[in-house]
Amino acid sequence: MSILSGARIIVGVAGGIAAYKAADLVSKLTQAGALVDVVMTERAREFVAPLTFSALSQRPVWADLWEPTGAAAARHIDLGRAAQLILVAPATANVIARLAHGMADDMLTAIALASSAPLVIAPAMETHMLAHPATVANLATLRERGAHIVPAEPGRLASGEVGTGRLPSTATLLGAARLVLGSGGDLQGRRVVVTAGGTQEAIDPVRFIGNHSSGRQGFALAEVARDRGAAVTLIAGVTALATPYGVTRIDATTAATMRDAVLAACVGADALVMSAAVADFAPDAVAEHKIKKREVAARDGADMTLRLRRTPDILSELDAARGQFPGLVRVGFAAETRAVQAAARDKLARKGLDLVVANDVSQPASGFGSPTNAVWLVRRNGELTELPLLPKETVAEHIWDEVVALLPTRAARA
Ligand code: CTP
């Protein structure tokens, strides 16, 4: 279950043109199971009608602290108290200034002041307003007090100018919410390394040997580890997926570069989950120029023979150098098309792993690119758990549960 499921989140919407984008944010948070209370500033209501947000959140929208029934005034304390997170998106220069100075002159600032929930602020405004020393200082004040600031993005602004000041995408804002909500999770203070996607081994400047890995399981592993408080290094092979918010991504698209990246990232790390599909063989030599049929025919006849050499086996190298990685929990994957469990047990022993996640990639619902996966978890003591077909995110939760149980205590590591 996602960390957003059941989470009490206040979304504060301030009066900037990006207020319309907050509608998508509220929709996605609600779809993910969060209980979203939208609080709008007076100016925000000039950009978007409160009804838009109440329809999306299926909850009342709070706007006017001073409305005559007194309901809003009565609720601002308990709304603030119940909230697990206050996410202000978009945050205008004005609302940032009022938050930084502890003002409580409307519903949003009053709730923020009455709440001890973590504050996430996504500034969105014209470039000069964002860069003004007053805004910079106000953001610094909020940051010092523990607020998490989601950086505004560069691009075309409502003024028609190009500059920094755009509200980040809904995916980024959701990632920031998940990061902050999960910061006290069971991987808090841990550093984990995840590899994802497939490698590509060049034949010539145009062709390569690759595989069907999409990177989805690995990216889900990185996101879930972040949601549980870990500092995550994601070593990505070839994938079309966007970098999850708050995750450090290193691109490594060949077996050799991935080996170097993994060995470097694992120094001082607590766990490695190696979900990347690493090529076992690469062309012996990379042709400098595009290979021409005519040249092949002149040399070898009509057909071409490609000589392949073994690539470094990353997990085996790590096992051989285990002294350099004290306490590192190591998880491997076994993507097979037959005798899955036997192959998984063999890999676990051969690569000195703590856990192998095995799946049958010949099954369409657990194959490459699918949003779901059906895996066996094979443990070092020979125990095996078969998980049903699950979303890759849920599979990731199970894998981290196993890792958490295996993590040596800090005292044991020391
Ligand atoms: N792996 C690795 N280095 C490689 C190839 C694979 O570290 N050069 C890792 C994968 O990321 C995965 C595990 O090893 O976690 C198993 O990968 P797989 O290719 O299935 O295993 P192989 O050792 O290549 O075994 P086999 O040839 O028998 O399938």
Side-chain angles (χ1 to χ4, degrees):
M1 209 175 11
S2 154
I3 188 145
L4 292 171
S5 180
R8 293 279 315 247
I9 299 176
I10 289 177
V11 173
V13 183
I17 181 59
Y20 80 93
K21 296 183 182 172
D24 187 47
L25 173 66
V26 169
S27 171
K28 296 287 177 359
L29 285 169
T30 307
Q31 284 172 42
L35 296 171
V36 184
D37 289 300
V38 176
V39 182
M40 304 178 77
T41 66
E42 191 185 343
R43 293 291 165 234
R45 281 174 280 156
E46 304 200 13
F47 285 98
V48 185
L51 184 61
T52 303
F53 289 109
S54 58
L56 292 168
S57 66
Q58 293 153 22
R59 297 170 72 81
V61 167
W62 303 95
D64 183 5
L65 181 60
W66 317 111
E67 48 98 15
T69 67
R75 287 300 309 280
H76 77 276
I77 300 288
D78 58 283
L79 277 169
R81 235 176 241 160
Q84 291 164 264
L85 182 78
I86 301 177
L87 169 55
V88 185
T92 55
N94 182 41
V95 96
I96 289 166
R98 290 190 290 123
L99 288 168
H101 290 85
M103 292 171 74
D105 55 348
D106 70 356
M107 188 73 177
L108 176 56
T109 50
I111 288 176
L113 210 58
S115 179
S116 53
L119 189 59
V120 175
I121 294 182
M125 66 195 75
E126 196 271 330
T127 307
H128 297 94
M129 293 175 86
L130 185 61
H132 192 283
T135 308
V136 172
N138 288 333
L139 285 171
T141 300
L142 290 166
R143 202 178 282 116
E144 270 161 34
R145 261 185 232 146
H148 180 93
I149 314 294
V150 189
E153 292 184 350
R156 190 184 176 282
L157 304 172
S159 62
E161 282 182 30
V162 173
T164 298
R166 283 173 67 86
L167 186 71
S169 68
T170 300
T172 298
L173 298 173
L174 291 175
R178 288 170 56 162
L179 170 88
V180 173
L181 274 172
S183 57
D186 56 5
L187 286 169
Q188 182 188 18
R190 301 291 191 171
R191 204 166 70 68
V192 304
V193 181
V194 176
T195 67
T199 59
Q200 283 184 351
E201 307 295 337
I203 298 170
D204 68 13
V206 179
R207 293 105 170 178
F208 57 81
I209 297 174
N211 59 66
H212 291 298
S213 173
S214 67
R216 287 179 83 143
Q217 184 62 70
F219 274 59
L221 278 157
E223 283 185 317
V224 169
R226 172 204 62 194
D227 293 355
R228 291 169 74 152
V232 184
T233 303
L234 173 61
I235 299 176
V238 178
T239 168
L241 299 173
T243 309
Y245 184 81
V247 163
T248 303
R249 173 173 175 165
I250 298 169
D251 287 309
T253 54
T254 64
T257 55
M258 189 171 279
R259 169 200 173 274
D260 294 347
V262 170
L263 291 183
C266 284
V267 175
D270 294 284
L272 165 69
V273 182
M274 194 72 203
S275 78
V278 187
D280 290 324
F281 299 93
D284 196 21
V286 183
E288 195 184 342
H289 296 287
K290 185 182 169 192
I291 297 170
K292 294 284 188 189
K293 289 192 286 297
R294 240 182 309 110
E295 291 161 10
V296 172
R299 197 176 57 230
D300 297 333
D303 296 334
M304 178 178 154
T305 304
L306 198 58
R307 193 179 157 73
L308 304 178
R309 67 180 152 72
R310 282 288 304 273
T311 55
D313 188 305
I314 303 170
L315 284 173
S316 299
E317 284 198 22
L318 215 77
D319 190 36
R322 55 170 54 230
Q324 291 171 35
F325 309 100
L328 180 74
V329 173
R330 284 164 296 154
V331 179
F333 271 66
E336 308 289 340
T337 56
R338 60 189 161 152
V340 180
Q341 292 181 27
R345 290 210 157 92
D346 170 59
K347 272 169 203 176
L348 187 131
R350 232 180 338 111
K351 305 193 183 203
L353 299 171
D354 298 294
L355 181 78
V356 167
V357 183
N359 66 340
D360 185 345
V361 286
S362 63
Q363 300 300 312
S366 57
F368 297 111
S370 150
T372 52
N373 211 352
V375 304
W376 288 267
L377 301 177
V378 183
R379 303 185 186 89
R380 196 192 264 274
N381 63 6
E383 273 179 30
L384 180 142
T385 303
E386 181 174 2
L387 297 178
L389 189 67
L390 295 168
K392 284 183 172 168
E393 202 165 280
T394 313
V395 173
E397 292 282 6
H398 283 280
I399 294 169
W400 289 120
D401 287 347
E402 299 280 329
V403 171
V404 166
L406 288 168
L407 280 172
T409 59
R410 264 166 232 278
R413 272 174 70 90

